[in-house]
Amino acid sequence: MPNTAQGRYSASVDLLRRARTVIPGGVWGHNRMPSALDPDELPWFADCGRGARLRDVDGHWYVDYICGYGAIINGYARPEIDDAVRDQALRGSTLSQATAKTVELAELLVDLVDGMAWAAWGANGSDATWTALTMARAHTGRPHVAQVVNAYHGSHSWNGPADPGQGRPGQDTSLVHQVRWNDVAALDELFARHGDELAAFVVTPYHHPIPGDAEFATPEWRDALNTHCRRTGTLLVVDDVRAGFRLDLRGSHAAFGFHADLVCFSKGLGNGWPLSAVMGTEAIRKTSEQIFLAGTFWNSANSMAAALANLTLLRDEEGVKKMQHSGELLTSGLRRIAERNGVPMQVTGPVAMPSVTVRDDDQKWMRRFAVHMAAQGTLLHAGHNWALSTAHTPELVEETLTHAETAMARAQEDLGR
């Protein structure tokens, strides 16, 4: 690799060389991005996190807007959360029976989340969406499901286009129908043709493709979806894995007006401790009791303890308001700096988790921007939405905006603009 990597990221490069002999690609899963796109200019491996800052293995600190891909919502190593995990760990986490923590967490979630009567568990977001889909098919007795084009609902092969080269044969998606976001006519046609066959329509509370601009539902499209699902008995599954608890503790479906039958949470639920939840209405309780779904670590008491402490902090400290305030400072500042530098930047979506893109860019400009931001001490993903935590104070946002002023100018120079 070039000397630039050996200089600033020498420890990261050394780890990557070792990793490639024992791990496919050196880093498994989505954590290989965005470093894989710019391997000489971004860190591959992290060492630790504190609050809103992350340190890589070469000792560089960053204000982090990836936040573990949205998992960190109350800041890294928040003492109240990690102390709760330590206390539980002394008694054991994966025991032969469920613990009281499952009951306590379910009670708290039912108290917080609008319209939901019960909670079931998983370890990550793909567990949650797959569980909800299975429950919907069992409850309705129907095989077909629907989703929005370019929506991401996890890594299981039912989601996304068929691609045998990626291990996704056509039969895995043969019962999945797709419509475009905010296309009311296409939605009407889908339900006219398949409404009586659809077990579920799986939808995110707002559209956040990767990469791409975020887009809120129009009232007409949202209301049509709610109406069609009620009329045909199709369950409306809201995938709140990415946005859950950053926008509204009642669930993002409440904030955006979707009449959910099932809601999926993960990411911010445990502040980095692996856990997901599927919540449902009273009407689906009997089905959820009768079907068999299981995972060895789904009742992990450590993760339950983390989620209890995490949600309690978000509620008692008005965490959503904190992230909203800092997000407004960040997004307005980015727009202002972009205009000053002649960059056609678009900042879309909720301010606590904005999508930042540049018109007609194909990510080239955003990748250069991410590289220059990292060199100064701010970490972001060129294609994924950003994420704020309650630890992102206004002072840290101002630090980020200072970095952005320089990084935008340098990205413009790199691309000759």
Side-chain angles (χ1 to χ4, degrees):
M1 286 190 174
N3 291 331
T4 53
Q6 285 288 357
R8 181 171 172 82
Y9 301 118
S10 58
S12 209
V13 169
D14 288 343
L15 269 177
L16 182 62
R17 287 197 181 105
R18 291 167 52 193
R20 281 177 169 162
T21 68
V22 290
I23 301 169
V27 176
W28 184 244
H30 62 267
N31 295 94
R32 73 178 57 155
M33 304 293 287
S35 302
L37 294 176
D38 296 286
D40 303 337
E41 299 177 285
L42 291 171
W44 283 86
F45 295 92
D47 174 55
C48 68
R50 294 287 183 272
R53 295 188 188 272
L54 178 139
R55 186 174 69 194
D56 68 24
V57 292
D58 286 279
H60 306 116
W61 283 97
Y62 307 88
V63 183
D64 182 13
Y65 290 92
I66 300 177
C67 282
Y69 286 82
I72 303 303
I73 197 169
N74 259 314
Y76 290 109
R78 180 70 186 257
E80 298 93 328
I81 297 171
D82 293 348
D83 286 348
V85 174
R86 290 187 191 95
D87 290 344
Q88 179 58 49
L90 293 174
R91 296 190 292 274
S93 180
T94 303
L95 304 175
S96 296
Q97 282 81 31
T99 68
K101 288 290 188 291
T102 65
V103 182
E104 295 166 15
L105 180 56
E107 289 172 338
L108 178 58
L109 284 168
V110 167
D111 184 56
L112 288 175
V113 179
D114 188 62
M116 299 296 108
W118 50 265
W121 315 116
N124 55 54
S126 292
D127 288 345
T129 53
W130 171 72
T131 294
L133 201 64
T134 303
M135 287 179 173
R137 283 171 161 161
H139 184 76
T140 62
R142 302 172 181 176
H144 293 252
V145 297
Q147 67 173 109
V148 170
V149 176
N150 292 330
Y152 179 75
H153 299 294
S155 58
H156 291 179
S157 59
W158 71 271
N159 172 242
D163 186 347
Q166 293 289 324
R168 297 173 181 270
Q171 56 264 38
D172 285 4
T173 57
S174 61
L175 299 176
V176 180
H177 307 272
Q178 296 192 352
V179 296
R180 295 196 176 278
W181 183 262
N182 280 340
D183 188 336
V184 176
L187 193 65
D188 292 343
E189 183 180 358
L190 168 71
F191 276 92
R193 290 187 176 187
H194 301 288
D196 294 337
E197 301 174 302
L198 289 176
F201 196 112
V202 187
V203 66
T204 52
Y206 73 97
H207 191 40
H208 39 63
I210 305 173
D213 297 327
E215 189 176 359
F216 298 120
T218 64
E220 295 78 14
W221 190 85
R222 177 204 61 205
D223 293 345
L225 180 59
N226 286 332
T227 299
H228 281 308
C229 286
R230 289 292 175 268
R231 178 180 58 80
T232 61
T234 301
L235 298 189
L236 183 54
V237 178
V238 175
D239 175 359
D240 212 7
V241 166
R242 204 188 307 181
F245 307 117
R246 262 192 174 81
L247 311 181
D248 197 315
L249 292 187
R250 300 172 301 159
S252 303
H253 65 288
F256 289 98
F258 289 99
H259 299 162
D261 298 291
L262 293 162
V263 181
C264 304
F265 296 108
S266 189
K267 290 193 182 289
L269 176 59
N271 200 53
W273 292 91
L275 182 65
S276 63
V278 176
M279 300 190 69
T281 62
E282 187 61 44
I284 311 170
R285 182 189 296 273
K286 186 175 181 180
T287 298
S288 65
E289 291 174 345
Q290 292 177 340
I291 65 173
F292 178 76
L293 293 168
T296 300
F297 303 105
W298 285 7
N299 284 297
S300 166
N302 285 0
S303 294
M304 301 282 178
L308 278 163
N310 181 50
L311 292 175
T312 300
L313 284 170
L314 288 172
R315 181 193 63 194
D316 295 350
E317 297 184 353
E318 297 188 306
V320 171
K321 287 185 179 179
K322 288 183 179 180
M323 290 181 281
Q324 176 81 15
H325 177 62
S326 292
E328 288 172 350
L329 294 175
L330 175 68
T331 54
S332 62
L334 287 172
R335 292 189 183 100
R336 184 173 61 252
I337 295 167
E339 183 177 359
R340 193 156 56 234
N341 283 273
V343 179
M345 179 175 281
Q346 300 181 135
V347 184
T348 56
V351 296
M353 45 186 302
S355 295
V356 181
T357 61
V358 171
R359 286 198 303 272
D360 303 320
D361 173 44
D362 196 25
Q363 287 194 274
K364 291 180 181 178
W365 191 96
M366 281 300 301
R367 284 171 54 188
R368 298 312 304 161
F369 181 59
V371 164
H372 289 303
M373 288 289 275
Q376 295 174 91
T378 290
L379 192 65
L380 59 92
H381 192 300
H384 200 279
N385 69 270
W386 300 24
L388 281 83
S389 72
T390 61
H392 284 81
T393 62
E395 292 76 16
L396 287 179
V397 170
E398 286 302 320
E399 181 179 330
T400 295
L401 294 175
T402 300
H403 297 165
E405 188 80 62
T406 300
M408 285 194 196
R410 290 179 179 171
Q412 291 288 77
E413 291 174 4
D414 287 351
L415 297 176
R417 297 181 181 178

